[in-house]
Amino acid sequence: MKRTLTVCCAGHFLVDLGCAFLLFRAFPGHWDWAGLLILYNFCAFAMQMPLGLLADGWKRDGAVAAAGAILVAAAYALTDWPVLAVWTAGLGNAAFHIGAGLETLTLSGERAGPLGLFVSPGAVGLFVGTLLGRGMELPFLILPPVLLAVAAALLLFRAERDELHTKPELPKWKAVGVPLAALLAVVVLRSFVGMNLTFPWKGEGRWVLLLTFAVAAGKAAGGYLADRFGMRRIALASLLLCAGSMLLSGSPVFGTMAVLLFNMTMPLTLWAAARLLPGARGFAFGILTFGLFLGFLPSAFGAPALTGRAAAILSLTSLALLLPGLRKAVRQ
């Protein structure tokens, strides 16, 4: 399990880095830059829902993840056709997340900790890829071979994955529809706050880097703390403390703490959705990532920045939505 989780985490970092680097190095001067970003986010997040449904039926999680890494690598050869390149990279990102996410879910059993560890490197990968793409010197074609190596490593674990797959079960939509919708709303709010929350001190030196690591640390810690102390306890503690920290987010320390606490619920929502739909976990994963796309749209169309008070209110709203979904998932 440790080997596979290591490959999935490293792959997540590199795939997100590769996509961000491609976008910000190859297309920043494109006449429809905003349109390319919307297209990428649609392919990367919204397309995980149909891909997850397909992956549930195919049951070759590593092959899906490997195909995603290969598509991201292939996008580097398509930069003369920006729309095609962005579409390919976004679709590759979606396929990798579905395949590697299902791989992690299968290997982690009833635990949320490994899932939190898997999702955490993505924020760092996006940050590093954006930084490199915006001007730091790095040969443009150095990443495709690395991504192909990730794909090869994912394919090595095929036998182990096949043995760990459980028998599919039909989803009980009437029983889980409302709690699943609540979890989706939590993800939409998390994405919306993440895209629209700004701090007056955000551009000050080391704090930008610390905020990125706070996102990653929150996701990684949330799953393991939930395994240790219980899903609902960690959801309650993290979002209540987050709301308080948001009110004091004019301070860099409290603002960074708020970001860390706010992201602790990410592995909890993914874990709960997989529990609610045990025979369609890829589809459940995709439903929640569709929420990320929905939360991204307001900022893409010029939504105003959130104040700390508004973010605190949305944190408490997230808590009110999350607890019923977790309650149903724990009882499954």
Side-chain angles (χ1 to χ4, degrees), residues 47-257:
M47 287 301 294
Q48 288 190 46
M49 189 160 49
L51 286 175
L53 194 59
L54 292 173
D56 287 328
W58 193 27
K59 296 184 177 60
R60 295 292 184 271
D61 304 337
V64 174
I70 291 169
L71 282 173
V72 175
Y76 279 73
L78 302 172
T79 53
D80 287 340
W81 304 276
V83 171
L84 182 58
V86 169
W87 182 88
T88 303
L91 195 61
N93 189 293
F96 173 83
H97 279 76
I98 284 294
L102 282 173
E103 180 91 355
T104 304
L105 278 168
T106 300
L107 292 172
S108 59
E110 297 298 311
R111 294 173 296 160
L115 188 58
L117 193 62
F118 164 67
V119 296
S120 64
V124 182
L126 287 173
F127 176 78
V128 174
T130 301
L131 195 65
L132 293 173
R134 281 177 168 170
M136 296 185 69
E137 291 299 325
L138 183 73
F140 184 68
L141 293 179
I142 196 172
L143 287 173
V146 176
L147 292 167
L148 293 175
V150 169
L154 287 163
L155 291 172
L156 292 177
F157 300 106
R158 179 173 180 176
E160 182 181 7
R161 287 191 304 274
D162 291 345
E163 293 173 3
L164 288 168
H165 260 292
T166 57
K167 185 179 179 180
E169 300 175 23
L170 293 175
K172 302 173 182 178
W173 292 107
K174 290 184 179 180
V176 303
V178 172
L180 193 62
L183 294 175
L184 173 61
V186 171
V187 175
V188 173
L189 287 177
R190 186 192 305 126
S191 176
F192 175 73
V193 171
M195 294 299 300
N196 292 278
L197 182 63
T198 60
F199 301 112
W201 44 265
K202 188 175 180 180
E204 296 176 9
R206 66 182 182 278
W207 291 112
V208 178
L209 181 61
L210 287 176
L211 279 173
T212 301
F213 282 105
V215 173
K219 293 174 182 178
Y224 284 102
L225 289 174
D227 289 340
R228 176 66 178 84
F229 298 105
M231 297 286 166
R232 284 174 289 179
R233 288 179 182 175
I234 292 304
L236 187 65
S238 63
L239 288 175
L240 285 177
L241 290 171
C242 173
S245 298
M246 287 292 187
L247 293 174
L248 301 171
S249 60
S251 159
V253 173
F254 282 103
T256 303
M257 184 62 66

